[in-house]
Amino acid sequence: MAEKEIEEKVYKSIIKTIKDVPLEEYYTSGHRTCQGCESALVMRFLAKAAGPRTIVIGATGCMYVANTTYYTTSWVVPWVHTQLGGSGAAALGTAAALRALMRKGKIKQEPINVIAFCGDLGCADMGLSGVSNAMTYDYNLLIILYDNESSANTDIQETSMTPYGAQTSFSRPGKARRIMKRRWKKNVVPIIIAGHRNVKYAATMTPAYPLDAINKIRKALTIGGPTFIHSLDPCPKGWDYDPKFSHELGVLAVETGIWPLYEYVNGEIIYNEPTKSIVEGRMKRKPVKEYLEKQGRFSHFTEEDIEYVQRMVDEMYEEWEIPGVMPIKSINVKISDK
Ligand code: SF4
């Protein structure tokens, strides 16, 4: 498709108000996720945004275990389970098979969405090489990282997506050492866009902003592949809070600046609200304390720990060349005279 044609299609695919969101559900009742699970909302949004001509591929994780228990499933569209690290390969194989079948005239030529979803381990840790490989081809596929910041379905183990200092079953605070998780969370969208020239669209989202999330999924599917979305999903079980605060925590993650909302399209970074207002200086970020103190996983934090996280987030907006996105503080081009 020509660039102009894609732009027109993307424009037409955008849903303007929440009242215009399709009523049809393709991820429906019957799943067994925890009360207040925001990852279940991601599944609902992706199915709603994509519609019935869609194949969904799910790596092992909460959204596999909870959605396909004992011969039942909440998926109304075709759904495939793949191994924990297999979503990149499975998405690539499915998209390539559809293209070959259409080319040979075995199935009708029509747009069929291929969406693979994977959690922290399945996408950002052991599955990253497969996802990276899928991003180097030109097949139409979307990979969604649903990030609940732990290996939640096997009892909240630490992953590379677990935030600094958070308690997990692998990082309990001890007497000798209060902070057991000392590594900073991996920044996946910049890895994808910096390392894969073929990627046509990438974005961050959180289900607390439903229209933003649904439209990002629709844009990715309309632009074609390969495309990638990283969603931050509050998880009552792993983050240790009352399920009624799921939405509030998603909003706080964005308003404190911990989770910036942006899109990468045609080589440009486009900030989405309210991150846009934060970056342009029209909105003040809320203190990270408001986000951290609502979660039991940070209950061992001292004022010093909170200040450390605040300093790290301040740096993202005050010192990075691309605020909230790339940890590059300056570009200094030196030409060697040797
Ligand atoms: S453990 Fe977390 S991600 Fe998994 S189903 Fe429960 S709330 Fe959802």
Side-chain angles (χ1 to χ4, degrees):
M1 264 193 289
E3 220 168 90
K4 189 95 191 110
E5 204 183 326
I6 295 174
E7 265 176 40
E8 274 169 27
K9 283 197 164 190
V10 168
Y11 182 74
K12 279 189 196 152
S13 74
I14 300 294
I15 296 173
K16 306 280 180 312
T17 72
I18 205 83
K19 285 186 190 155
D20 302 321
V21 173
L23 291 176
E24 293 81 12
E25 301 286 356
Y26 300 102
Y27 171 82
T28 182
S29 54
H31 60 81
R32 292 169 189 184
T33 64
C34 311
Q35 190 183 22
C37 172
E38 292 286 276
S39 295
L41 264 188
V42 173
M43 301 300 117
R44 189 173 172 204
F45 291 164
L46 77 84
K48 231 179 211 308
R53 303 306 286 159
T54 301
I55 298 171
V56 179
I57 298 155
T60 306
C62 269
M63 292 303 110
Y64 156 57
V65 176
N67 294 326
T68 54
T69 315
Y70 298 123
Y71 304 112
T72 67
T73 183
S74 40
W75 288 107
V76 180
V77 289
W79 174 88
V80 186
H81 170 234
T82 186
Q83 291 173 337
L84 187 45
S87 49
L92 195 56
T94 307
L98 287 174
R99 187 184 285 180
L101 288 169
M102 286 181 200
R103 193 184 61 237
K104 290 177 181 171
K106 305 252 182 198
I107 58 172
K108 147 169 124 173
Q109 286 277 356
E110 63 168 322
I112 296 179
N113 302 311
V114 176
I115 306 176
F117 63 79
C118 35
D120 309 21
L121 269 183
C123 202
D125 284 351
M126 73 170 73
L128 190 58
S129 64
V131 171
S132 168
N133 189 44
M135 293 292 132
T136 62
Y137 287 84
D138 68 345
Y139 288 105
N140 286 337
L141 56 91
L142 163 63
I143 296 183
I144 299 185
L145 161 55
Y146 71 96
D147 177 10
N148 50 27
E149 301 195 317
S150 73
S151 251
N153 84 302
T154 45
D155 209 16
I156 323 295
Q157 287 89 14
E158 174 188 323
T159 71
S160 64
M161 306 308 285
T162 304
Y164 173 87
Q167 286 192 53
T168 64
S169 50
F170 280 3
S171 55
R172 295 270 178 246
K175 281 190 185 142
R177 234 175 134 171
R178 191 179 64 259
I179 300 292
M180 295 300 287
K181 169 65 161 77
R182 306 193 74 83
R183 297 176 291 153
W184 199 255
K185 182 182 171 81
K186 201 185 275 183
N187 198 359
V188 185
V189 170
I191 295 174
I192 297 293
I193 57 183
H196 307 83
R197 285 287 291 271
N198 263 8
V199 170
K200 299 199 175 67
Y201 179 87
T204 58
M205 63 171 244
T206 179
Y209 296 82
L211 213 49
D212 178 82
I214 290 174
N215 278 329
K216 282 174 174 168
I217 295 163
R218 282 170 85 96
K219 269 191 210 173
L221 295 173
T222 309
I223 290 171
T227 52
F228 184 86
I229 296 177
H230 183 174
S231 177
L232 180 74
D233 305 350
C235 160
K237 183 178 158 199
W239 299 15
D240 189 14
Y241 63 84
D242 189 309
K244 71 182 176 193
F245 294 121
S246 287
H247 176 82
E248 186 183 338
L249 279 170
V251 171
L252 273 173
V254 176
E255 290 186 347
T256 54
I258 283 177
W259 188 247
L261 293 177
Y262 63 90
E263 296 166 279
Y264 165 82
V265 54
N266 289 335
E268 268 187 291
I269 295 289
I270 299 163
Y271 292 102
N272 314 113
E273 291 296 356
T275 304
K276 186 170 188 292
S277 294
I278 290 173
V279 170
E280 291 174 355
R282 284 178 285 109
M283 182 179 156
K284 206 171 169 332
R285 276 179 284 123
K286 288 190 173 164
V288 296
K289 187 175 185 179
E290 288 187 30
Y291 174 74
L292 300 175
E293 70 186 4
K294 290 189 170 57
Q295 302 169 58
R297 63 181 175 159
F298 300 116
S299 57
H300 55 298
F301 268 28
T302 61
E303 283 303 317
E304 206 178 59
D305 300 326
I306 294 170
E307 275 165 28
Y308 174 71
V309 175
Q310 185 66 63
R311 273 203 309 280
M312 292 292 277
V313 175
D314 289 349
E315 187 184 289
M316 285 166 63
Y317 292 86
E318 291 161 17
E319 296 182 36
W320 291 7
E321 283 284 320
I322 309 174
V325 183
M326 283 284 183
I328 294 168
K329 294 188 183 173
S330 69
I331 300 166
N332 185 3
V333 183
K334 282 189 186 151
I335 299 169
S336 168
D337 52 4
K338 283 187 188 164

